[in-house]
Amino acid sequence: MINQIGENAGSVWKALNKSGRLSVKELKKETKIRTEKELFASIGWLAREEKIASAEKDGEIFFWLV
């Protein structure tokens, strides 16, 4: 499971590096990660490493690399 989270975190990082700021919905589509649970585990991995930032606008959460 840890390996899968790490691989997904790499996919999230690549998507954000390519596109800049993305919403949860956009990230899920771009990375093809199956569930929001898996996506948020990957986001948590990147947050722990201080590589990602987020903000909420109009009820939607956006992420980008720092």
Side-chain angles (χ1 to χ4, degrees):
M1 181 175 213
I2 295 295
N3 288 336
Q4 186 62 49
I5 294 170
E7 288 176 22
N8 287 344
S11 295
V12 169
W13 188 92
K14 288 175 187 173
L16 292 173
N17 189 50
K18 175 184 169 191
S19 301
R21 187 178 117 161
L22 294 172
S23 69
V24 171
K25 186 177 182 178
E26 293 167 329
L27 266 174
K28 197 168 176 218
K29 181 180 177 185
E30 192 74 25
T31 61
K32 296 179 178 48
I33 294 174
R34 294 187 327 244
T35 67
E36 282 194 12
K37 186 177 182 178
E38 291 175 5
L39 177 65
F40 280 111
S42 302
I43 289 168
W45 180 298
L46 293 171
R48 177 71 172 105
E49 293 182 346
E50 298 180 1
K51 293 184 178 180
I52 197 169
S54 65
E56 185 176 351
K57 183 176 180 182
D58 299 326
E60 199 165 4
I61 303 171
F62 293 87
F63 296 95
W64 62 91
L65 297 177
V66 292

